[in-house]
Amino acid sequence: MLKISNKLRYAFIALAVAGMSSCSDDDDVTPPVVVPPVVETPLRTKIEYATLTPTTSYATFFVDKSNKSTVDLSNGNNRYKMFQALNVNISSAISGNKTVDAAVLKNMFGNTGNAFADSTKLNTSGVQLRNVVASSWPTADAEAVRVRFEALFTEVAEVSKSVTETGELGKAGKVGTYLVNKQGIEPIQIIQKSLIGALQYDYIANVLLTKGLDADNKTVVTGKTYTQLEQNWDEAYGLLTLSPIYLAGSTDDKRGTTEFALGSYVWEYNKGAYAKIYPAFLKGRAAIANNDKTELKAQADFIKAEFEKAIAAAAVGYLGKYNTATTDAARVHAMGEGLGFIYSLRFATVNGGTAKFSDDILTALVGSTNGVWDLTPAKIAAASDAIKAKFKL
């Protein structure tokens, strides 16, 4: 009889144990624990888009489940009113035939020093214009834009000292009723129209309706009735208009509401789409309630594109008005507005607007020693053609 070595004996034992283990009953296996999926309760009641009409009130329609309004337009409206007040102060050089104080303008820009003399509400609002100007840009680039505006405040204050003089080649003063520097450039208009792009368009389109669409929409901001995403959308609407229904009752021939800056020029220079802007804001706000990111982005993209079209068309329009003007006063005023809108095109990113594109046109137009006084039909045509091509006008 063969003898089995110890090594083989141990191997047989191991195999036997393994076989016994593999034959154990399946009943001894612990079943997996099934965790039911967590179903989140929607924060808002779903809104059917078909229920929205051109007369639906933005301010009162959107409510929470306790029927409390989730709309707060105050941040946007306060900045809108600050822009208006700044504009009135700058324009007082003409309307009141008086000098402008650059320090006051800078304080209004940054909301410091109780600059809004007739509005404690604005002084204590906690918002300002300066920190949202060019705020979609990198910090250093944005600061350069803000410093440029402050330099323009200094310039308009200096030029306002010549408000009783007659402006002409090489001399600041009034041309008709318009205050110009020695190059025939109207700094009041440069500030006003440049802020349409650097303040209103950039903050609304490139910040609130682009980066701002990624804000939280699941939780209500502490102490408020709205989510951060709802607030971002509301602030955009509030910076566009003070009207409960933007452009209510407007036709192509008559603007039905009092509007200012961007809100006014959208009606004037985008006849094909101005009536669709308010419905787009409504539908976008409803999409936020519905957590419908696709619809939200579609409405934001529409609003941005149509705003850009209005700004570009305004730039081209004022270049055309310069060409058809029959007096120096009409020409310098048209060019002042046009130059401001051309500056604003650097923020029009939907169509690829850049600082270089804008600056190249401005330099070609008024970069010479005598500025506006050196303009020619060829310079106007080249600028107009470049804008039309870039913005598909």
Side-chain angles (χ1 to χ4, degrees):
M1 187 172 182
L2 294 174
K3 291 184 179 179
I4 301 175
S5 69
N6 286 338
K7 289 183 179 180
L8 287 176
R9 183 179 295 112
Y10 292 145
F12 290 149
I13 292 171
L15 287 171
V17 171
M20 290 173 65
S21 299
S22 64
C23 294
S24 62
D25 290 339
D26 291 340
D27 293 342
D28 293 336
V29 178
T30 303
V33 177
V34 178
V35 179
V38 177
V39 179
E40 293 186 4
T41 302
L43 188 62
R44 309 294 184 212
T45 301
K46 183 177 180 180
I47 297 172
E48 296 297 334
Y49 298 126
T51 64
L52 302 172
T53 72
T55 60
T56 298
S57 171
Y58 189 102
T60 61
F61 182 81
F62 301 103
V63 296
D64 63 16
K65 292 180 179 179
S66 300
N67 210 37
K68 294 180 181 178
S69 175
T70 61
V71 174
D72 184 349
L73 302 172
S74 59
N75 282 348
N77 281 174
N78 283 334
R79 284 195 169 99
Y80 181 107
K81 292 173 183 177
M82 288 176 177
F83 185 9
Q84 280 185 314
L86 180 70
N87 179 59
V88 168
N89 191 297
I90 295 171
S91 300
S92 67
I94 294 175
S95 62
N97 253 17
K98 64 181 184 179
T99 58
V100 174
D101 188 333
V104 172
L105 296 178
K106 290 177 184 178
N107 284 344
M108 295 177 82
F109 192 49
N111 193 12
T112 58
N114 294 318
F116 300 97
D118 58 348
S119 181
T120 301
K121 181 179 178 181
L122 291 182
N123 290 330
T124 60
S125 65
V127 300
Q128 57 174 274
L129 301 180
R130 194 183 194 281
N131 67 350
V132 296
V133 162
S135 53
S136 73
W137 285 16
T139 302
D141 296 334
E143 182 61 19
V145 173
R146 296 161 190 165
V147 169
R148 173 187 178 271
F149 277 106
E150 290 170 335
L152 284 168
F153 299 154
T154 299
E155 180 183 356
V156 77
E158 184 63 28
V159 172
S160 71
K161 295 176 183 177
S162 302
V163 71
T164 60
E165 304 293 325
T166 298
E168 57 189 27
L169 176 61
K171 180 183 176 184
K174 272 188 175 180
V175 179
T177 58
Y178 306 114
L179 183 65
V180 302
N181 64 16
K182 65 181 182 179
Q183 291 179 302
I185 296 172
E186 193 180 358
I188 292 171
Q189 291 301 322
I190 300 297
I191 294 169
Q192 290 173 349
K193 274 50 182 190
S194 294
L195 279 173
I196 286 177
L199 167 66
Q200 282 184 297
Y201 180 83
D202 188 60
Y203 191 49
I204 291 173
N206 296 330
V207 178
L208 296 171
L209 300 192
T210 300
K211 300 174 184 179
L213 297 188
D214 293 325
D216 175 61
N217 195 39
K218 293 183 179 180
T219 57
V220 172
V221 175
T222 303
K224 305 295 182 180
T225 59
Y226 50 73
T227 67
Q228 188 57 56
L229 180 56
E230 289 171 329
Q231 171 57 194
N232 288 351
W233 195 264
D234 292 347
E235 188 167 358
Y237 183 72
L239 186 52
L240 171 67
T241 183
L242 299 180
S243 299
I245 298 177
Y246 174 58
L247 294 179
S250 294
T251 65
D252 287 0
D253 299 321
K254 180 182 178 181
R255 196 181 67 225
T257 55
T258 300
E259 303 296 342
F260 167 71
L262 179 61
S264 176
Y265 286 101
V266 167
W267 171 80
E268 186 173 353
Y269 281 97
N270 193 348
K271 296 300 186 185
Y274 71 82
K276 301 174 184 177
I277 298 298
Y278 182 68
F281 267 104
L282 279 179
K283 196 169 186 179
R285 190 58 162 77
I288 295 173
N290 295 343
N291 283 310
D292 185 350
K293 195 67 175 285
T294 299
E295 189 62 53
L296 175 62
K297 186 176 184 303
Q299 297 308 315
D301 287 348
F302 172 79
I303 292 167
K304 291 186 287 187
E306 299 307 327
F307 281 177
E308 280 199 11
K309 187 178 295 184
I311 292 171
V316 171
Y318 280 107
L319 290 173
K321 288 180 180 181
Y322 175 91
N323 268 343
T324 59
T326 58
T327 65
D328 282 346
R331 278 189 284 270
V332 298
H333 185 57
M335 188 49 55
E337 299 206 62
L339 293 174
F341 278 116
I342 292 168
Y343 180 86
S344 286
L345 294 178
R346 70 194 59 226
F347 301 102
T349 56
V350 172
N351 287 282
T354 63
K356 184 180 186 309
F357 174 79
S358 177
D359 287 339
D360 284 350
I361 295 176
L362 292 171
T363 300
L365 284 170
V366 293
S368 64
T369 301
N370 296 320
V372 171
W373 304 117
D374 284 342
L375 280 171
T376 65
K379 289 181 180 181
I380 299 295
S384 182
D385 289 346
I387 297 168
K388 288 177 181 178
K390 170 70 77 174
F391 291 91
K392 305 174 183 67
L393 298 178

